[in-house]
Amino acid sequence: MKPLAPPGGFRGPVKRSITIAGHATSISLEPGFWTALEAAAARRSLPLSALVAAIDAVRIEGDDPPNLASAIRSWLLGEAGGNHPVDD
């Protein structure tokens, strides 16, 4: 079976600037991840920056934290698969 390209084709990362704790940071994510992140923020009635800040806070608690973009992707995959608890 040959895999199919996603709707709109394969697209590279898009860089955006988000303010976390008063500091601007650039995050590069593929458009599908930005869409999923925006939807997750909307479901929680949070600004995008607030959700990213919350993910970042959990990320930096780890012994060997990944970069923020990787943490966001991992969090979104967990969210999609229902593999992590939701703290509302």
Side-chain angles (χ1 to χ4, degrees):
M1 172 194 273
K2 180 179 175 182
L4 300 175
F10 293 103
R11 297 182 51 207
V14 175
K15 186 178 283 192
R16 292 193 193 176
S17 181
I18 293 187
T19 302
I20 300 173
H23 300 282
T25 187
S26 293
I27 303 169
S28 293
L29 295 171
E30 292 73 11
F33 283 105
W34 281 119
T35 300
L37 188 61
E38 291 165 347
R43 281 192 301 277
R44 290 167 173 75
S45 300
L46 290 173
L48 185 62
S49 59
L51 179 56
V52 170
I55 294 168
D56 188 44
V58 172
R59 172 188 76 92
I60 61 176
E61 291 175 359
D63 292 333
D64 186 20
N67 68 54
L68 182 54
S70 292
I72 291 169
R73 287 185 194 96
S74 296
W75 185 87
L76 286 167
L77 287 173
E79 166 104 342
N83 295 328
H84 60 75
V86 176
D87 184 14
D88 288 327

